Amino acid sequence: MKGQMFLNFRYFSKFSQSLIDNIFLLLAEPRKNSAVDTLELCLKTVTPMLDTMKTIPANMRRAAAKGFINATDCADYLTKKGMPFRDAYKLTGCMVSDCIAKDKTLEELTLDEFKGYSTLFENDIYDAIDLIKCCEGRTSYGGPSEASVNNQIRLAMDQLAAWEANNA
């Protein structure tokens, strides 16, 4: 359940980090135009929306899967099994295209369907393309892993505290 919470938060995280960065930029500049006024109005609108927003984890997971964020992991799986890099990525692109045409996700393909693309696929493909594991493997700055999201939150809180200390 813990991983599910971060899967839900991840997709809001990049937007919120960008919003926070822009807020600090706007607040740091002198009021030459109405940008700060516009920001204040937006915050008054967004805050109640976020307070009353209800997330539906099943819908968020379905939307994440339809975004094929695990396609890279599928291609990496094939390269680890010995397929040349270029071929693995081309094949995965074809798989994604076929999935889109059939309104399916990679996770919904049967093992026989996977094997129809390559005999390198085995039952462990489902573990390799698991959305939570894929996200947890992306640990770079701004990435969706739990550690990265926690770091982004900490950095935002530190920036806010520093701004409040300088502008109190």
Side-chain angles (χ1 to χ4, degrees):
M1 192 63 175
K2 184 177 176 186
Q4 183 69 41
M5 178 185 74
F6 280 93
L7 180 65
N8 296 344
F9 180 73
R10 272 185 204 106
Y11 302 99
F12 180 72
S13 170
K14 286 195 179 205
F15 164 77
S16 61
Q17 182 62 47
S18 176
L19 179 64
I20 290 167
D21 290 345
N22 288 328
I23 289 169
F24 286 114
L25 286 174
L26 288 171
L27 292 176
E29 292 182 13
R31 274 190 146 150
K32 294 179 183 174
N33 56 40
S34 65
V36 173
D37 297 325
T38 301
L39 173 64
E40 287 174 354
L41 181 61
C42 289
L43 290 175
K44 287 177 186 175
T45 305
V46 169
T47 302
M49 180 198 73
L50 293 178
D51 288 342
T52 59
M53 180 176 76
K54 182 178 187 236
T55 60
I56 303 172
N59 289 354
M60 296 174 87
R61 184 170 181 71
R62 194 168 29 258
K66 288 202 178 255
F68 296 98
I69 60 173
N70 54 1
T72 300
D73 301 276
C74 182
D76 289 344
Y77 171 91
L78 289 169
T79 60
K80 289 175 187 171
K81 296 281 185 168
M83 184 178 284
F85 176 83
R86 182 177 296 174
D87 297 339
Y89 278 79
K90 183 177 180 181
L91 179 63
T92 302
C94 291
M95 293 171 64
V96 167
S97 179
D98 291 348
C99 283
I100 291 169
K102 296 175 184 174
D103 196 30
K104 291 180 105 174
T105 65
L106 289 173
E107 294 169 301
E108 293 171 334
L109 294 176
T110 66
L111 186 55
D112 286 338
E113 288 174 307
F114 274 112
K115 287 186 177 284
Y117 290 102
S118 172
T119 57
L120 294 174
F121 284 115
E122 296 174 12
N123 207 35
D124 60 342
I125 182 58
Y126 298 106
D127 188 51
I129 62 171
D130 177 75
L131 290 175
I132 298 292
K133 289 184 181 184
C134 292
C135 288
E136 284 304 312
R138 291 172 175 81
T139 57
S140 63
Y141 178 78
S145 72
E146 182 177 345
S148 293
V149 170
N150 283 333
N151 187 48
Q152 292 168 52
I153 293 168
R154 184 186 52 74
L155 289 172
M157 298 299 280
D158 291 349
Q159 286 178 330
L160 180 60
W163 184 86
E164 287 174 338
N166 291 332
N167 294 289

